[in-house]
Amino acid sequence: MPASSRITPRPKVPAEPSRLWPLSIAGAVCFLVALILGCSTWYFFGTHRRQAAALRPPLVQTPAVPTPDQAAATPTPPVKRAPSGELPVPGGEVALGGEGTDVPLRRELVSPFLIAETEVTNEQYREFVQATKHKAPTHWEREEFPPGTATEPVTHVTWEDAEAYCKWLSEQLGATVRLPTEAEWERAARGDENLKYPWGNEWNGRAAASKETKGRVRPVKSYDENRSPFGAYDMAGNVWEWVSDEARDAGGQPKLLDGLRQRVIKGGSAEEPRAFISATIRFEFPEEQGSGKLGFRYVVLRENETRPNANR
């Protein structure tokens, strides 16, 4: 073969180092990224999490049981207050009867109790009538008291009506509510000093509704000075008040008038002259009758107190 046509092989030229390094680095980076992504996918979505969830016990909601200390610190629900307010009267001795009455003097000890701050008002009695369908006082129309008398003492109620109201209020308050005994009534009206009037031992014409003040029944709390030592209003004048006691004769037997049992009423009323108004005055009235000058208030007993003998 001629020398001109001979092919002479080219020598191999080694690759330049500057081109190999970037390729190596890029490959390593891609490998690391793929490795990280694969591990992450396995960790978050792999079967090991489903297996762990299947082995985990279910979450059960159990009511929290207070410790003894927590239970003791839990406040009890507040006791409902009576509609006329409650005034504490401490126990003490009361002198009943004697001068100015037709019953012999006797002394009686009474236990602590709570007494209504005022007589029961028309507004309060209406709530009882509407709730129980008890008959309304005779001078009301369609179970509604006369206009403008909402805060006047309810009148034209019999002793039995007053007892029914107390029974209903007992259920509302979850406590024993009843008419006061004569001794409790005087204790609340006269205080520790056994005063003649709630405000003192001398008559005060500005302290009570009486015949001298035109004989009209006033709203409760109309006279700031007509307040007993324990804070009860209007326990002299304005309206007579029923108590639980039966009227009894000298032999201790219940009194009857025209076949009707007599009950004791206290305090006097707006139609009486001053001579017949005091915290000691008492009168007797048929328990089945009412009057336009006769109302009532009640007492509330604490849990550890018992009902005294009301001579029923």
Side-chain angles (χ1 to χ4, degrees):
M1 178 179 295
S4 58
S5 61
R6 187 184 304 129
I7 299 175
T8 304
R10 293 181 181 182
K12 294 182 179 180
V13 180
E16 296 180 5
S18 59
R19 293 181 181 179
L20 292 177
W21 280 110
L23 292 175
S24 300
I25 292 173
V29 169
C30 290
F31 175 78
L32 287 175
V33 170
L35 181 62
I36 292 172
L37 290 175
C39 292
S40 299
T41 302
W42 175 84
Y43 180 80
F44 288 107
F45 303 103
T47 58
H48 77 286
R49 293 186 63 87
R50 293 193 293 272
Q51 293 172 350
L55 295 175
R56 188 182 303 124
L59 181 63
V60 179
Q61 296 288 345
T62 56
V65 178
T67 65
D69 291 340
Q70 291 173 331
T74 301
T76 55
V79 177
K80 293 181 181 179
R81 289 188 59 81
S84 290
E86 304 170 1
L87 299 172
V89 179
E93 185 180 74
V94 181
L96 296 169
E99 184 179 358
T101 72
D102 60 353
V103 295
L105 177 67
R106 76 180 192 275
R107 296 186 180 277
E108 188 171 331
L109 287 173
V110 297
S111 299
F113 59 95
L114 304 172
I115 194 163
E117 187 178 28
T118 70
E119 298 101 342
V120 173
T121 65
N122 284 318
E123 191 172 41
Q124 292 160 357
Y125 197 79
R126 177 181 60 184
E127 183 180 356
F128 157 67
V129 169
Q130 292 176 344
T132 65
K133 305 306 179 184
H134 191 87
K135 69 179 186 301
T138 55
H139 66 299
W140 289 19
E141 293 185 6
R142 297 181 181 179
E143 299 184 353
E144 186 62 49
F145 49 78
T149 65
T151 58
E152 290 183 10
V154 65
T155 57
H156 293 282
V157 289
T158 68
W159 184 89
E160 293 161 336
D161 291 333
E163 279 281 285
Y165 178 91
C166 290
K167 181 179 179 181
W168 169 77
L169 189 56
S170 292
E171 297 170 353
Q172 303 306 302
L173 301 181
T176 299
V177 180
R178 57 170 174 78
L179 292 174
T181 65
E182 184 176 12
E184 288 170 338
W185 193 96
E186 285 206 18
R187 173 70 177 153
R190 302 174 67 190
D192 292 327
E193 299 181 16
N194 286 318
L195 301 172
K196 182 177 181 180
Y197 305 100
W199 56 82
N201 286 315
E202 300 296 330
W203 174 255
N204 182 347
R206 300 184 305 276
S210 65
K211 191 172 183 178
E212 285 80 7
T213 62
K214 300 183 179 179
R216 189 173 76 81
V217 173
R218 307 281 181 171
V220 298
K221 298 185 180 182
S222 289
Y223 296 88
D224 292 337
E225 296 178 65
N226 192 349
R227 201 168 189 188
S228 79
F230 300 119
Y233 282 91
D234 307 319
M235 297 193 82
N238 212 30
V239 296
W240 290 95
E241 298 183 19
W242 288 112
V243 294
S244 62
D245 299 62
E246 284 185 323
R248 295 181 176 268
D249 60 23
Q253 297 301 311
K255 283 187 178 181
L256 298 177
L257 181 63
D258 298 329
L260 299 177
R261 189 185 315 198
Q262 305 293 295
R263 294 280 176 177
V264 176
I265 60 177
K266 299 290 294 180
S269 75
E271 69 179 4
E272 314 294 342
R274 54 180 285 185
F276 293 97
I277 294 176
S278 73
T280 61
I281 198 74
R282 72 196 305 273
F283 195 65
E284 298 162 4
F285 201 79
E287 68 178 21
E288 298 176 0
Q289 295 181 7
S291 165
K293 297 296 190 294
L294 174 57
F296 70 99
R297 75 179 72 215
Y298 52 81
V299 297
V300 181
L301 298 186
R302 299 182 178 94
E303 291 182 1
N304 61 344
E305 293 167 352
T306 57
R307 179 185 178 108
N309 181 7
N311 298 321
R312 295 192 62 176

